[in-house]
């Protein structure tokens, strides 16, 4: 198995110093009272680009040699990773091309363009966008920075786990959103390396959770991508997955799936009670606690991964106690 270990994550932490935000780790009095143990929120939603993705993308870009950066950078994205790579490329003076499908909402596309990146709209799926990435690598020599299955991306995300371990060494449980596995793998590697007593649970949605289905099958499998409030958790993990499948298989203690109404409840609670605007994928840890799907045995950290939800969509959810599920802003 290809593994990203503590040494590589510690190197990423040094590399990222001063480049990304050391995000707040705050206590939730409400959730703590509900669960009977201290519950902390790790607010990656406070990163400049609105999600944890800035860590992995920046670490990957800084790990490149000058020639690779000079050729230009390219990725397939449905939102957050593309925005993060555009930010990291701009900081290094490098060209960035972000390939996205026609399903990506205009506000996400505009946010990437605002950072000076080129946007290619291709097809109607992440797979279509990835085909354009491969063409640009093959024909124009651009350097690809994948959204999750990349050692430097995983190491960058793992720095969140180091921050948690340093701030709260008494932590017994970490809840982490689970999609392609870059975040879950990196955080789990850091937490298990520094806090061997702690459990790490991946949280995903019932609709189209590719990593969960792959773990159940014992190998990477294709899963139909469905509309979900946790849109940033959509998409496949890649049948040729090199890192994240094996790391999630070996390091996660469990995976919990949520209904759409439960995810909406997490978004609502984050805003109404915690005062935080959080997208569906970022709210899944909170949602899992509210739904009583987690066995809390001690101090727990909930990773709030991002805030990039459309204003109208967010208002629709928080202003009602029921929500009709439709496509939202995606986020890889």
């Amino acid at each position: 198995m290809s593994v990203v270990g503590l040494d590589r994550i510690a190197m990423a932490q040094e590399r990222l110093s001063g480049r990304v935000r050391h995000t707040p780790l705050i206590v939730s009095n409400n959730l703590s009272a509900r669960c009977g143990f201290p519950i902390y929120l790790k607010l990656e939603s406070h990163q400049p680009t609105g999600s944890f993705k800035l860590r992995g993308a920046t670490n990957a870009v800084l790990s490149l040699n000058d020639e690779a950066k000079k050729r230009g950078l390219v990725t397939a994205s449905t939102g957050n990773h593309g925005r993060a790579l555009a930010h990291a490329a701009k900081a290094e003076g490098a060209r960035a091309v972000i390939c996205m499908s026609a399903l990506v909402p205009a506000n996400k596309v505009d946010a990437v363009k605002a950072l000076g990146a080129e946007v290619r709209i291709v097809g109607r799926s992440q797979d279509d966008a990835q085909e354009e990435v491969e063409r640009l690598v093959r024909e124009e020599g651009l350097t690809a920075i994948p959204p999750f299955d990349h050692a430097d991306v995983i190491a960058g995300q793992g720095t969140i786990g180091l921050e948690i371990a340093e701030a709260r060494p008494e932590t017994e449980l970490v809840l982490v959103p689970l999609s392609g596995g870059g975040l879950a793998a990196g955080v789990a590697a850091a937490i298990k390396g520094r806090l061997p007593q702690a459990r790490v649970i991946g949280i995903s949605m019932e609709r189209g959770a590719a990593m969960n289905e792959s773990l159940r099958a014992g190998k990477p499998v294709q899963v139909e991508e469905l509309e979900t409030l946790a849109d940033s958790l959509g998409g496949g993990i890649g049948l040729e997955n090199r890192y994240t499948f094996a790391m999630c298989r070996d390091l996660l203690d469990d995976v919990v799936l949520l209904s759409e109404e439960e995810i909406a409840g997490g978004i609502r609670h984050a805003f109404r009670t915690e005062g935080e605007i959080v997208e569906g994928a970022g709210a899944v840890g909170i949602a899992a606690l509210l739904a009583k799907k987690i066995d809390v045995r001690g101090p727990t950290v909930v990773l709030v991964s991002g805030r990039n939800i459309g204003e109208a969509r967010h208002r629709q959810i928080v202003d009602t106690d029921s929500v009709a599920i439709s496509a939202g802003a995606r986020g890889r």
Side-chain angles (χ1 to χ4, degrees):
M1 179 184 74
S2 296
V3 175
V4 177
L6 267 180
D7 288 349
R8 194 159 192 161
I9 297 171
M11 288 174 59
Q13 188 176 47
E14 291 183 15
R15 195 177 287 125
L16 293 176
S17 179
R19 302 271 189 157
V20 303
R21 190 164 293 164
H22 190 300
T23 52
L25 184 63
I26 66 169
V27 67
S28 168
N29 292 322
N30 182 281
L31 292 174
S32 298
R34 286 171 181 263
C35 297
F37 293 96
I39 306 295
Y40 301 94
L41 305 180
K42 179 62 170 170
L43 297 176
E44 282 299 295
S45 50
H46 287 208
Q47 289 292 354
T49 59
S51 87
F52 74 95
K53 289 285 191 177
L54 187 61
R55 295 177 185 260
T58 301
N59 188 53
V61 171
L62 293 177
S63 300
L64 296 173
N65 60 36
D66 289 341
E67 176 59 30
K69 284 185 279 192
K70 186 177 180 180
R71 293 199 304 268
L73 312 175
V74 64
T75 196
S77 175
T78 52
N80 289 342
H81 176 67
R83 188 171 178 177
L85 184 60
H87 185 282
K90 182 178 181 180
E92 292 296 297
R95 176 192 180 197
V97 181
I98 312 300
C99 300
M100 298 188 280
S101 82
L103 296 178
V104 178
N107 68 303
K108 296 264 182 169
V109 176
D110 291 345
V112 172
K113 289 180 177 178
L115 288 167
E118 303 167 37
V119 172
R120 305 282 178 92
I121 304 297
V122 184
R124 295 185 60 81
S125 72
Q126 182 84 342
D127 289 340
D128 293 337
Q130 182 59 36
E131 287 183 9
E132 178 67 3
V133 171
E134 292 167 4
R135 186 191 70 79
L136 290 169
V137 170
R138 182 175 63 251
E139 297 182 9
E140 298 187 22
L142 272 65
T143 302
I145 306 291
F148 56 90
D149 196 35
H150 184 286
D152 292 318
V153 170
I154 295 167
Q157 322 305 25
T159 61
I160 300 168
L162 294 185
E163 289 180 14
I164 292 169
E166 290 161 3
R168 292 290 170 187
E170 73 276 19
T171 297
E172 293 189 13
L173 173 63
V174 178
L175 305 183
V176 56
L178 177 62
S179 180
L183 177 62
V187 169
I191 291 294
K192 298 287 187 176
R194 290 286 174 87
L195 307 177
Q197 82 282 2
R199 295 177 295 147
V200 181
I201 296 178
I203 316 292
S204 200
M205 64 290 179
E206 292 175 352
R207 296 171 59 82
M211 181 60 81
N212 180 65
E213 291 303 312
S214 297
L215 293 172
R216 289 179 59 190
K219 63 180 180 180
V221 297
Q222 288 184 320
V223 175
E224 181 183 2
E225 188 170 352
L226 301 171
E227 294 175 358
T228 172
L229 289 177
D231 40 70
S232 295
L233 304 185
I237 70 167
L239 296 181
E240 303 301 321
N241 189 286
R242 296 176 57 200
Y243 297 96
T244 62
F245 170 76
M247 291 182 70
C248 287
R249 179 194 63 204
D250 294 347
L251 295 173
L252 292 182
D253 293 279
D254 198 4
V255 174
V256 169
L257 303 183
L258 300 173
S259 71
E260 296 300 305
E261 286 297 340
E262 288 166 344
I263 296 167
I267 296 171
R268 242 178 250 121
H269 175 95
F271 185 74
R272 293 178 180 177
T273 304
E274 311 294 346
E276 297 287 336
I277 295 175
V278 178
E279 63 185 278
V284 293
I286 293 172
L289 291 176
L290 294 174
K292 299 183 178 179
K293 290 189 170 181
I294 303 295
D295 177 20
V296 179
R297 307 171 192 168
T300 296
V301 174
V302 178
L303 206 164
V304 179
S305 58
R307 68 168 187 264
N308 296 325
I309 183 172
E311 182 180 348
R313 186 61 164 151
H314 185 260
R315 186 168 57 249
Q316 176 195 18
I317 294 168
V318 301
D319 286 350
T320 64
D321 289 318
S322 180
V323 61
I325 308 306
S326 62
R330 300 173 185 274
R332 271 197 183 171

